[in-house]
Structures are given as structure tokens and as C-alpha cells.
Amino acid sequence: MTDKKTLYVGGIRFFQANENAPQNLVANVLITPKLLGDALRQDGLENAKTEYQGNEQYRATLWKNEDGSYSMSFNTYKAENKVEQVAENGDDLPF
């Protein structure tokens, strides 16, 4: 397994709702289009990028920080192919 740097989604910030907010309000969101565009153009997102019905999409994960704010990182995890795993393990068993 390689040590990969976390790629954060820039241009979108989430803030904890204040105490007077409705119970079903999860977070307040601030979107900065220029920074979001820069984040989507950064290197290393090949495994986070997919296509659905002709539209480009990016997988991301939402994290709650210690201060109550939230961060979002691109989900670049790609499961290894079973054939590759067998070759690495040196055996021919499929499990």
C-alpha cells in the first residue's frame, strides 16, 4: 500500500449550524467557485473522477473536525483487481 496525500476539496467550506438553527440543519455551506474549479483541476484525482449519464462526477468524503466545522476530501480509493492481488500474494487461490 502506498502512502497517499489527502486531496482536499477546496472552494467548499462547511460550518456547524448555530444553536438557534432548526434541528434538521446539518451545516452552513460557503462555496467559492474559483477555488472549487482549481481543486477539480488538481493532479491526482483520476480515481475520484467518474462519469454518470454523460456528466463528470467526483467522489468525495465529508469529515467532521474537532472544532465542529467540516472538511471534504476527494475519495481516490480504487480497489485492486483480484488478479493483481493474486500476483502480489504469490498464490493462485482466488480468496
Side-chain angles (χ1 to χ4, degrees), residues 39-53:
L40 294 173
R41 288 187 290 276
Q42 68 182 307
D43 292 333
L45 297 182
E46 298 79 21
N47 291 336
K49 185 177 173 180
T50 60
E51 187 177 311
Y52 180 71
Q53 297 182 347

Side-chain angles (χ1 to χ4, degrees), residues 14 18 23 25 36 40 42 44 55 73 75 82 86 88-89 91 94:
F14 300 89
N18 69 36
Q23 283 187 321
L25 178 68
L36 177 58
L40 294 173
Q42 68 182 307
N55 294 306
S73 64
N75 181 346
K82 291 286 184 189
V86 168
E88 288 178 11
N89 294 336
D91 58 31

Side-chain angles (χ1 to χ4, degrees), residues 52-73:
Y52 180 71
Q53 297 182 347
N55 294 306
E56 194 174 86
Q57 297 181 328
Y58 292 85
R59 290 187 315 273
T61 304
L62 185 63
W63 304 91
K64 186 171 185 178
N65 302 318
E66 290 179 13
D67 66 356
S69 65
Y70 299 85
S71 297
M72 192 167 31
S73 64

Side-chain angles (χ1 to χ4, degrees), residues 2-8 42-44 74 76:
T2 59
D3 185 29
K4 292 187 178 184
K5 178 182 158 191
T6 301
L7 299 172
Y8 287 97
Q42 68 182 307
D43 292 333
F74 288 104
T76 59

